Amino acid sequence: MKPKRVLYVVSRFPWTSTTFTANEMAAVAAYGVDIFVAPVWKTPADHTPHEVERPFLPNVVRPNWLSGWTWLTMFKGLVRKPSVLLTIARLIPGHLKSPYLPLKLLVAIPKGLYQ
């Protein structure tokens, strides 16, 4: 049986505000689940990761947006779970409250589909 994989989409990783999420990831990984992390924004190079974040650093996913493979992978994600489109449609109205939130949504959705 193939091991389960979970992709966490977070604002930044590693980052001080993601230690709570990293603790959750460690608990899920303890059950044999492969954890991958897709940060929306890059972390400054001088940032020192917290100890709980270190095991997940090799599994940080940074898609190459110029690659056709990236877009094919995202399309496959939509084909596997077409209900995601409905979820995305439901998220849009709540993200129109600020000029920052639609941009974050546009960046986070493709990363979430990239598996």
Side-chain angles (χ1 to χ4, degrees), residues 77-78 80-91 109 113 115:
L78 282 175
R80 274 196 313 267
K81 293 196 174 196
S83 63
V84 168
L85 289 174
L86 183 58
T87 302
I88 291 169
R90 288 180 180 159
L91 290 173
I109 288 171
L113 293 173
Q115 299 178 24

Side-chain angles (χ1 to χ4, degrees), residues 2-20:
K2 200 162 97 171
K4 296 230 181 226
R5 296 174 56 169
V6 173
L7 176 70
Y8 281 82
V9 178
V10 294
S11 293
R12 290 188 195 273
F13 191 87
W15 200 243
T16 307
S17 63
T18 60
T19 53
F20 176 82

Side-chain angles (χ1 to χ4, degrees), residues 75-104:
F75 179 73
K76 285 180 182 178
L78 282 175
V79 169
R80 274 196 313 267
K81 293 196 174 196
S83 63
V84 168
L85 289 174
L86 183 58
T87 302
I88 291 169
R90 288 180 180 159
L91 290 173
I92 292 172
H95 281 75
L96 296 176
K97 296 176 183 176
S98 135
Y100 167 77
L101 292 176
L103 175 63
K104 186 175 179 181

Side-chain angles (χ1 to χ4, degrees), residues 46-59:
D46 63 344
H47 178 74
T48 304
H50 189 277
E51 194 61 38
V52 74
E53 297 169 324
R54 291 181 198 267
F56 305 107
L57 291 177
N59 293 348

